Amino acid sequence: MSESLRNDGRIWVPKTPGDKRPPSQIPEAERDYYLERRYPSFGNLVPRDVASRNAKAVCDEQRGVGETGLGVYLDFAGAIQRLGVEAIRERYGNLFDMYERITGEDPYRVPMRIYPAIHYTMGGLWVDYPLMSTIPGLFVIGEANFSDHGANRLGASALMQGLADGYFILPYTMGNYLAGARLDKVDAAHPACREAETGVAERTRKLLSINGKRSVDSLHRELGKVVWDHCGMGRNAQGLEYALTKIPELREEFWRNVNVRGGNEELNQSLEKAGRVADYFELAELLCMDALARQESCGGHFREEYQTPDGEALRDDENFCYVSAWQYQGEEQKPRMHKEPLRFDYVKPAQRSYK
Amino acid sequence: MKLTLHVWRQKSPGDRGRMARYEVQANPHMSFLEMLDVLNEELLAKGEDPIAFDHDCREGICGSCGFMINGVAHGPNKATTVCQLHMRHYRDGDVLYLEPWRARAFPVIKDLVVDRCAFDRIIAAGGYISAATGSAPDGNAVPVPKDTADASMDAAACIGCGACVAACPNASASLFTGAKITHLGVLPQGQPERYDRALRMVAQAQQELFGSCTNIGECEAVCPKEIKLEVIARMNRDFIKASWLRRK
């Protein structure tokens, strides 16, 4: 659910592990409003990395709610009492409706159950200041590029970055590029076009000819589980190293044992999915490599080895004040890291505190 | 819960197509599309082709998904796309018939997937505003009253899924076209092209062989975004006015 809900909702779990009573039967004194308790000045409005890690922590303590135990309550009872149900409907009606459809529960009466989920990779294609990639003429805008986010994704920023790049930057930089570039006429007979065409045809033929035993979805799920477990809200060197041995094994199995039915000349959703998942192996491996190399905690990247005594992210600006730009070196080749130093002239990075 | 599905299977646009019968075991917490994912995994394991259906966000906001369930576009729940329809609304032993949108302007590509490019061409005919490029205008340069902004926003909620066309006995795209005309036409920014827009978009809808509106209201009843018939009245008003303006 959208994070805007935390503006008015209060987050809590039962104080006692394994408490399976319905929320209405848990008295106020037996509830732990853990964000308000740990972060008295920010309360439920702490940034999403902090909110996510704390949700995971209370669930790891067996205090999670719902059938799976992977959930915390987001409670609007107080806000509805304070502001009235109409005010809440005006603010969040669409989200409440969406929640009701998914869970079959009415969030106007019963607290929502929420849990953090993967949303974004906190990275993208490298671009220069005018938003052009390393391929001349290929501009990358919006969240497909790496340029605007720090280590924590900002709320509503898909729209923000799309507008900022599209409104303020591209109208100037792309025109400027076109005005100065000599663009020769090319047709389908151009060697680069031929090469790309042959490459795609070869890859497609390969995917369709494996005829193995495993579906694309089952391999996708297994890959996702590896990344979720070892490169998720908490990471450590041991887990990342394990993931970095497991992902190549899965990729090898994919190219040996995947089952993609149907043909090449028709709408083929299995083939389309197979192409995407084939790319995800590369992305997953890069995420783990990057997380392993960054020996500090910073925003959404929380290395369990690097935390303050009270369990918050411990940054190391002395050694890691740079963007890691990874250069593709060819299929199954280890990418090369380029360090782009981050310079702060006026506002210096510091340890965050929401206490 | 065990369900029996009769699903439209059609290999390609040229294929005749037929209904095929499947049995599937579903969990009440699954969405309808997750239930189809499970069925597709089983089909793959048996060496059969999975059922093709469109989907993307699965949050009811992208407009990709949609098919008929027992003759109703997006199934039985009010204001709910098929991705947001959950299996808890069905009972063990239910028999369901799944068919693609049926309309001359929406040819079937495969199974439950239809070609909705006709909608894109209607948008391309006039669903835009003229805007100066360059620096962005100041946010409060053009004041818009709250009720106008709300009217525009309600029309802009249309996700272009095509349920309105599928539900209409005339296969009319009036609710869709009306929503697009309204969401731009009520705002100050939409005024420069307002009447040309109505003429062009309506003409394009006719050219795509969508039918005409005869005020039946099935479209409003199935619309997952609750677009109101009022947008069709606004479209007709702008269209008639535009026709007179042109005559002058």
Coordinates of all heavy atoms in Angstrom, one line a residue, chain A residues 67 90 97-105 167-168 171-172 215-218 221 259-262 266-270 273, chain B residues 29 37 41 44 47-55 59 61 78-80 84 86 88-89 109-110 113 134-137 146:
Chain A
E67 N -2.3 -14.3 9.3 CA -2.1 -15.8 9.1 C -0.6 -16.1 8.9 O -0.2 -17.1 9.5 CB -2.8 -16.2 7.8 CG -3.4 -17.6 7.8 CD -4.3 -17.8 6.6 OE1 -5.4 -17.1 6.5 OE2 -3.9 -18.5 5.7
E90 N -11.9 10.9 2.0 CA -11.5 11.9 1.1 C -9.9 11.7 0.8 O -9.5 11.8 -0.3 CB -11.8 13.3 1.6 CG -11.2 14.5 0.8 CD -12.0 14.8 -0.5 OE1 -13.1 14.2 -0.7 OE2 -11.5 15.7 -1.2
D97 N -10.2 1.3 -0.6 CA -11.0 0.4 -1.5 C -10.1 -0.8 -2.0 O -10.5 -1.9 -2.1 CB -11.6 1.1 -2.7 CG -12.7 2.1 -2.2 OD1 -13.1 2.0 -1.1 OD2 -13.1 2.9 -3.1
M98 N -8.9 -0.4 -2.4 CA -8.0 -1.3 -3.0 C -7.6 -2.4 -1.9 O -7.6 -3.6 -2.2 CB -6.7 -0.6 -3.4 CG -5.8 -1.3 -4.4 SD -4.3 -0.4 -4.6 CE -4.7 0.7 -5.9
Y99 N -7.4 -1.9 -0.7 CA -7.1 -2.9 0.4 C -8.2 -3.8 0.6 O -8.0 -5.0 0.8 CB -6.8 -2.1 1.7 CG -6.4 -3.0 2.8 CD1 -5.1 -3.4 3.0 CD2 -7.4 -3.4 3.7 CE1 -4.8 -4.3 4.0 CE2 -7.0 -4.2 4.8 CZ -5.7 -4.7 4.9 OH -5.4 -5.5 6.0
E100 N -9.4 -3.3 0.6 CA -10.6 -4.1 0.9 C -10.7 -5.2 -0.2 O -11.0 -6.4 0.1 CB -11.9 -3.2 0.9 CG -13.1 -3.9 1.4 CD -13.9 -4.7 0.4 OE1 -13.8 -4.3 -0.8 OE2 -14.4 -5.7 0.8
R101 N -10.4 -4.9 -1.4 CA -10.5 -5.9 -2.5 C -9.5 -7.0 -2.3 O -9.8 -8.2 -2.5 CB -10.3 -5.2 -3.9 CG -11.6 -4.6 -4.3 CD -11.6 -3.9 -5.6 NE -12.6 -2.9 -5.6 CZ -12.5 -1.6 -5.7 NH1 -11.3 -1.2 -6.0 NH2 -13.5 -0.8 -5.6
I102 N -8.3 -6.6 -1.9 CA -7.3 -7.6 -1.8 C -7.5 -8.6 -0.6 O -7.3 -9.8 -0.7 CB -5.9 -7.0 -1.7 CG1 -5.6 -6.2 -3.0 CG2 -4.8 -8.0 -1.5 CD1 -4.4 -5.2 -2.9
T103 N -7.9 -8.0 0.5 CA -8.0 -8.8 1.8 C -9.4 -9.2 2.2 O -9.5 -10.1 3.0 CB -7.4 -7.9 2.9 OG1 -8.2 -6.8 3.1 CG2 -6.0 -7.5 2.7
G104 N -10.4 -8.5 1.6 CA -11.7 -8.8 2.1 C -12.0 -8.2 3.5 O -13.0 -8.6 4.1
E105 N -11.2 -7.3 4.0 CA -11.4 -6.7 5.3 C -11.6 -5.2 5.1 O -11.0 -4.6 4.2 CB -10.2 -6.9 6.2 CG -10.0 -8.3 6.7 CD -8.8 -8.5 7.5 OE1 -8.0 -7.6 7.7 OE2 -8.5 -9.7 7.9
Y167 N 10.4 17.5 -18.1 CA 10.0 18.9 -18.2 C 11.3 19.8 -18.2 O 11.3 20.8 -19.0 CB 9.3 19.3 -16.9 CG 7.8 19.7 -17.1 CD1 6.8 19.4 -16.2 CD2 7.5 20.5 -18.2 CE1 5.5 19.8 -16.4 CE2 6.1 20.9 -18.4 CZ 5.2 20.5 -17.5 OH 3.9 20.9 -17.7
F168 N 12.2 19.5 -17.4 CA 13.3 20.5 -17.2 C 14.6 20.2 -17.9 O 15.4 21.1 -18.1 CB 13.6 20.7 -15.6 CG 12.4 21.1 -14.8 CD1 12.0 20.3 -13.8 CD2 11.7 22.2 -15.2 CE1 10.9 20.7 -13.0 CE2 10.6 22.6 -14.4 CZ 10.2 21.8 -13.4
P171 N 14.0 18.7 -22.7 CA 13.7 19.6 -23.8 C 15.0 20.4 -24.2 O 15.1 20.8 -25.4 CB 12.7 20.5 -23.2 CG 12.1 19.7 -22.1 CD 13.2 18.8 -21.6
Y172 N 15.9 20.6 -23.3 CA 17.1 21.3 -23.7 C 18.2 20.4 -24.2 O 18.9 20.7 -25.2 CB 17.6 22.1 -22.5 CG 16.5 23.0 -21.9 CD1 15.8 22.7 -20.8 CD2 16.2 24.2 -22.6 CE1 14.8 23.5 -20.4 CE2 15.2 25.0 -22.2 CZ 14.5 24.7 -21.0 OH 13.4 25.5 -20.6
S215 N 9.3 -24.5 -15.4 CA 8.7 -23.3 -16.0 C 9.5 -22.1 -15.7 O 10.3 -22.0 -14.7 CB 7.3 -23.2 -15.5 OG 7.3 -22.8 -14.1
V216 N 9.3 -21.0 -16.5 CA 10.0 -19.7 -16.3 C 9.6 -19.2 -14.9 O 10.4 -18.7 -14.1 CB 9.6 -18.7 -17.4 CG1 10.2 -17.4 -17.1 CG2 10.0 -19.2 -18.7
D217 N 8.3 -19.3 -14.6 CA 7.8 -18.8 -13.3 C 8.5 -19.5 -12.1 O 8.8 -18.8 -11.1 CB 6.3 -19.0 -13.1 CG 5.5 -17.9 -13.8 OD1 6.2 -16.9 -14.2 OD2 4.3 -17.9 -13.9
S218 N 8.7 -20.8 -12.2 CA 9.3 -21.4 -11.0 C 10.7 -21.0 -10.8 O 11.2 -20.8 -9.7 CB 9.2 -23.0 -11.1 OG 10.2 -23.4 -12.0
R221 N 10.6 -17.4 -9.4 CA 10.3 -17.4 -7.9 C 11.5 -17.8 -7.1 O 11.8 -17.2 -6.1 CB 9.2 -18.4 -7.6 CG 7.8 -17.8 -7.9 CD 6.8 -18.9 -7.7 NE 5.5 -18.4 -8.2 CZ 4.7 -17.6 -7.5 NH1 5.0 -17.3 -6.2 NH2 3.6 -17.2 -8.0
N259 N 11.5 -24.5 -19.7 CA 10.5 -25.0 -20.6 C 9.7 -23.8 -21.2 O 8.9 -23.2 -20.4 CB 9.6 -26.0 -20.0 CG 8.6 -26.6 -20.9 OD1 8.7 -26.4 -22.1 ND2 7.5 -27.2 -20.4
V260 N 10.0 -23.4 -22.4 CA 9.3 -22.3 -23.0 C 8.6 -22.9 -24.2 O 9.2 -23.4 -25.2 CB 10.2 -21.2 -23.5 CG1 9.4 -20.0 -24.1 CG2 11.1 -20.7 -22.4
R261 N 7.2 -22.9 -24.1 CA 6.4 -23.5 -25.2 C 6.1 -22.5 -26.3 O 6.3 -21.3 -26.1 CB 5.2 -24.1 -24.6 CG 5.4 -25.4 -23.8 CD 4.1 -26.1 -23.4 NE 3.3 -26.3 -24.6 CZ 3.4 -27.3 -25.4 NH1 4.3 -28.2 -25.2 NH2 2.6 -27.4 -26.5
G262 N 5.5 -23.0 -27.4 CA 5.0 -22.1 -28.4 C 6.1 -21.7 -29.4 O 7.3 -22.2 -29.3
E266 N 4.3 -15.7 -33.1 CA 3.0 -15.4 -32.6 C 3.1 -14.7 -31.3 O 4.2 -14.6 -30.7 CB 2.3 -16.8 -32.4 CG 3.0 -17.6 -31.3 CD 2.7 -19.1 -31.4 OE1 2.6 -19.6 -32.5 OE2 2.6 -19.7 -30.3
L267 N 2.0 -14.2 -30.7 CA 2.1 -13.7 -29.4 C 2.4 -14.9 -28.4 O 1.7 -15.9 -28.4 CB 0.7 -13.2 -29.0 CG 0.6 -12.7 -27.5 CD1 1.4 -11.4 -27.3 CD2 -0.8 -12.5 -27.1
N268 N 3.6 -14.8 -27.8 CA 4.0 -15.8 -26.9 C 4.5 -15.3 -25.6 O 5.6 -14.8 -25.4 CB 5.2 -16.6 -27.6 CG 5.6 -17.8 -26.8 OD1 5.3 -17.9 -25.6 ND2 6.3 -18.7 -27.5
Q269 N 3.6 -15.3 -24.6 CA 3.8 -14.7 -23.3 C 4.9 -15.4 -22.5 O 5.6 -14.8 -21.7 CB 2.5 -14.5 -22.5 CG 1.6 -13.5 -23.2 CD 0.3 -13.3 -22.4 OE1 -0.3 -14.3 -21.9 NE2 -0.2 -12.1 -22.3
S270 N 5.0 -16.7 -22.7 CA 6.1 -17.5 -22.0 C 7.4 -17.0 -22.5 O 8.4 -16.9 -21.7 CB 5.9 -19.0 -22.2 OG 4.7 -19.4 -22.0
K273 N 8.3 -13.6 -21.1 CA 8.7 -13.7 -19.7 C 10.1 -14.3 -19.6 O 10.9 -13.9 -18.8 CB 7.6 -14.6 -19.0 CG 7.5 -14.3 -17.6 CD 6.1 -14.7 -17.0 CE 5.5 -15.9 -17.5 NZ 4.3 -16.4 -16.9
Chain B
H29 N -7.8 -16.7 -1.1 CA -7.0 -15.5 -1.0 C -6.4 -15.1 -2.4 O -5.9 -14.0 -2.5 CB -5.9 -15.5 0.0 CG -6.4 -15.7 1.4 ND1 -7.3 -14.8 1.9 CD2 -6.0 -16.5 2.4 CE1 -7.6 -15.2 3.2 NE2 -6.8 -16.2 3.5
D37 N -2.7 -18.1 -13.1 CA -1.2 -18.4 -13.1 C -1.0 -19.9 -12.7 O -0.2 -20.6 -13.3 CB -0.5 -17.5 -12.1 CG -0.4 -16.1 -12.6 OD1 -0.5 -15.8 -13.8 OD2 -0.2 -15.2 -11.7
E41 N 0.6 -22.9 -14.8 CA 1.7 -23.8 -14.4 C 1.4 -25.2 -14.6 O 2.2 -26.0 -15.1 CB 2.1 -23.5 -12.9 CG 2.8 -22.2 -12.7 CD 4.3 -22.3 -13.2 OE1 5.1 -23.0 -12.6 OE2 4.6 -21.7 -14.2
L44 N 1.5 -26.1 -18.3 CA 2.9 -26.3 -18.8 C 3.4 -27.6 -18.4 O 4.1 -28.3 -19.2 CB 3.7 -25.2 -18.2 CG 3.9 -23.9 -19.0 CD1 4.6 -22.8 -18.1 CD2 4.7 -24.1 -20.3
G47 N 2.5 -30.2 -20.5 CA 2.9 -30.1 -21.9 C 1.9 -29.4 -22.8 O 1.9 -29.6 -24.0
E48 N 1.0 -28.6 -22.2 CA 0.0 -27.9 -23.0 C 0.3 -26.4 -23.0 O 1.0 -25.9 -22.1 CB -1.4 -28.1 -22.4 CG -1.9 -29.5 -22.5 CD -3.3 -29.6 -21.8 OE1 -4.1 -28.7 -21.9 OE2 -3.5 -30.7 -21.2
D49 N -0.2 -25.7 -24.0 CA 0.1 -24.2 -24.0 C -0.7 -23.5 -22.9 O -1.9 -23.7 -22.7 CB -0.4 -23.7 -25.4 CG 0.6 -24.1 -26.5 OD1 1.8 -24.3 -26.1 OD2 0.2 -24.1 -27.6
P50 N 0.0 -22.6 -22.2 CA -0.7 -21.8 -21.2 C -1.7 -20.8 -21.9 O -1.7 -20.5 -23.0 CB 0.4 -21.0 -20.5 CG 1.6 -21.0 -21.4 CD 1.4 -22.3 -22.3
I51 N -2.7 -20.4 -21.1 CA -3.7 -19.5 -21.5 C -3.2 -18.1 -21.6 O -2.6 -17.6 -20.6 CB -5.0 -19.5 -20.6 CG1 -5.6 -20.9 -20.5 CG2 -6.0 -18.5 -21.0 CD1 -6.4 -21.2 -19.3
A52 N -3.3 -17.4 -22.7 CA -2.7 -16.1 -22.8 C -3.8 -15.1 -22.3 O -4.9 -15.2 -22.6 CB -2.4 -15.7 -24.3
F53 N -3.4 -14.2 -21.4 CA -4.2 -13.1 -20.9 C -3.4 -11.9 -20.6 O -2.2 -12.0 -20.2 CB -5.1 -13.5 -19.7 CG -4.3 -13.9 -18.5 CD1 -3.9 -13.0 -17.5 CD2 -3.8 -15.2 -18.3 CE1 -3.2 -13.3 -16.4 CE2 -3.1 -15.6 -17.2 CZ -2.8 -14.6 -16.2
D54 N -3.9 -10.7 -20.8 CA -3.1 -9.5 -20.6 C -3.1 -9.1 -19.1 O -4.2 -9.3 -18.4 CB -3.8 -8.3 -21.4 CG -3.1 -8.1 -22.7 OD1 -1.9 -8.4 -22.8 OD2 -3.7 -7.6 -23.6
H55 N -2.0 -8.6 -18.6 CA -2.0 -8.1 -17.2 C -0.7 -7.3 -17.1 O 0.2 -7.5 -17.9 CB -1.9 -9.3 -16.3 CG -0.8 -10.2 -16.5 ND1 0.4 -10.1 -15.8 CD2 -0.6 -11.2 -17.3 CE1 1.3 -11.0 -16.2 NE2 0.7 -11.7 -17.1
E59 N -2.8 -4.1 -9.9 CA -3.3 -3.2 -8.8 C -4.6 -2.5 -9.2 O -5.1 -1.6 -8.6 CB -2.3 -2.1 -8.4 CG -1.1 -2.6 -7.7 CD -0.2 -1.5 -7.2 OE1 -0.5 -0.3 -7.5 OE2 0.8 -1.8 -6.6
I61 N -4.9 -0.4 -11.8 CA -4.6 1.0 -12.2 C -4.0 1.1 -13.6 O -3.9 2.2 -14.1 CB -3.8 1.8 -11.2 CG1 -2.5 1.1 -10.9 CG2 -4.5 2.0 -9.9 CD1 -1.5 1.9 -10.0
K78 N -18.5 -4.9 -8.3 CA -18.7 -3.5 -8.8 C -17.3 -2.8 -8.7 O -16.6 -3.1 -7.7 CB -19.7 -2.9 -7.9 CG -20.2 -1.6 -8.4 CD -21.4 -1.1 -7.5 CE -21.4 0.3 -7.2 NZ -21.1 1.3 -8.2
A79 N -17.0 -2.0 -9.6 CA -15.8 -1.2 -9.6 C -14.5 -1.9 -9.3 O -13.7 -1.5 -8.6 CB -16.0 0.0 -8.6
T80 N -14.4 -3.1 -10.0 CA -13.3 -4.0 -9.7 C -12.7 -4.6 -11.0 O -13.5 -5.2 -11.7 CB -13.7 -5.1 -8.7 OG1 -14.3 -4.5 -7.6 CG2 -12.5 -5.9 -8.3
Q84 N -8.1 -7.4 -9.5 CA -8.5 -7.1 -8.1 C -9.6 -8.0 -7.6 O -10.1 -7.9 -6.5 CB -8.8 -5.7 -8.0 CG -7.6 -4.8 -8.2 CD -6.7 -4.7 -7.0 OE1 -7.0 -4.2 -6.0 NE2 -5.5 -5.4 -7.2
H86 N -11.1 -11.3 -6.2 CA -10.4 -12.4 -5.5 C -11.3 -13.6 -5.4 O -12.6 -13.5 -5.4 CB -10.0 -11.9 -4.1 CG -8.7 -11.1 -4.2 ND1 -8.6 -9.8 -4.8 CD2 -7.4 -11.4 -3.8 CE1 -7.4 -9.4 -4.7 NE2 -6.6 -10.3 -4.2
R88 N -12.3 -15.4 -3.1 CA -13.2 -15.6 -2.0 C -14.6 -15.3 -2.3 O -15.6 -15.6 -1.6 CB -12.7 -14.7 -0.8 CG -12.8 -13.2 -1.0 CD -12.4 -12.5 0.3 NE -11.0 -12.6 0.5 CZ -10.1 -11.7 0.0 NH1 -10.5 -10.7 -0.7 NH2 -8.8 -11.9 0.3
H89 N -14.8 -14.6 -3.5 CA -16.2 -14.3 -3.9 C -16.8 -15.5 -4.7 O -17.9 -15.3 -5.2 CB -16.1 -13.0 -4.8 CG -15.6 -11.8 -4.1 ND1 -16.3 -11.2 -3.1 CD2 -14.5 -11.1 -4.2 CE1 -15.6 -10.2 -2.6 NE2 -14.5 -10.1 -3.3
I109 N -6.3 -11.5 -30.5 CA -4.9 -11.8 -30.9 C -4.6 -13.3 -30.5 O -4.1 -14.1 -31.3 CB -3.9 -10.9 -30.2 CG1 -4.1 -9.5 -30.6 CG2 -2.5 -11.3 -30.5 CD1 -3.3 -8.5 -29.8
K110 N -5.0 -13.7 -29.3 CA -4.8 -15.0 -28.8 C -5.6 -15.2 -27.5 O -5.6 -14.4 -26.7 CB -3.3 -15.2 -28.5 CG -2.9 -16.7 -28.2 CD -1.4 -16.8 -28.0 CE -1.0 -18.2 -27.8 NZ 0.4 -18.4 -27.8
V113 N -6.6 -12.4 -25.1 CA -5.9 -11.2 -25.4 C -6.5 -10.6 -26.7 O -6.6 -11.2 -27.7 CB -4.4 -11.4 -25.7 CG1 -3.7 -10.1 -26.0 CG2 -3.8 -12.0 -24.4
G134 N 9.5 24.1 -23.2 CA 10.5 24.9 -22.5 C 10.1 24.9 -21.0 O 9.7 23.9 -20.5
S135 N 10.4 26.0 -20.3 CA 10.3 26.0 -18.9 C 8.8 25.7 -18.5 O 7.9 26.1 -19.1 CB 10.8 27.3 -18.3 OG 10.0 28.3 -18.8
A136 N 8.7 25.0 -17.4 CA 7.3 24.6 -16.9 C 6.6 25.8 -16.3 O 7.3 26.7 -15.7 CB 7.5 23.5 -15.8
P137 N 5.3 25.9 -16.6 CA 4.6 27.1 -16.0 C 4.5 27.0 -14.5 O 4.6 25.9 -13.9 CB 3.2 26.9 -16.7 CG 3.1 25.5 -17.0 CD 4.4 25.0 -17.3
K146 N -12.1 23.8 -7.4 CA -12.1 22.4 -6.9 C -13.1 21.5 -7.6 O -12.7 20.3 -8.0 CB -12.3 22.4 -5.4 CG -12.5 21.0 -4.7 CD -11.1 20.5 -4.3 CE -11.2 19.3 -3.3 NZ -11.5 18.1 -4.0

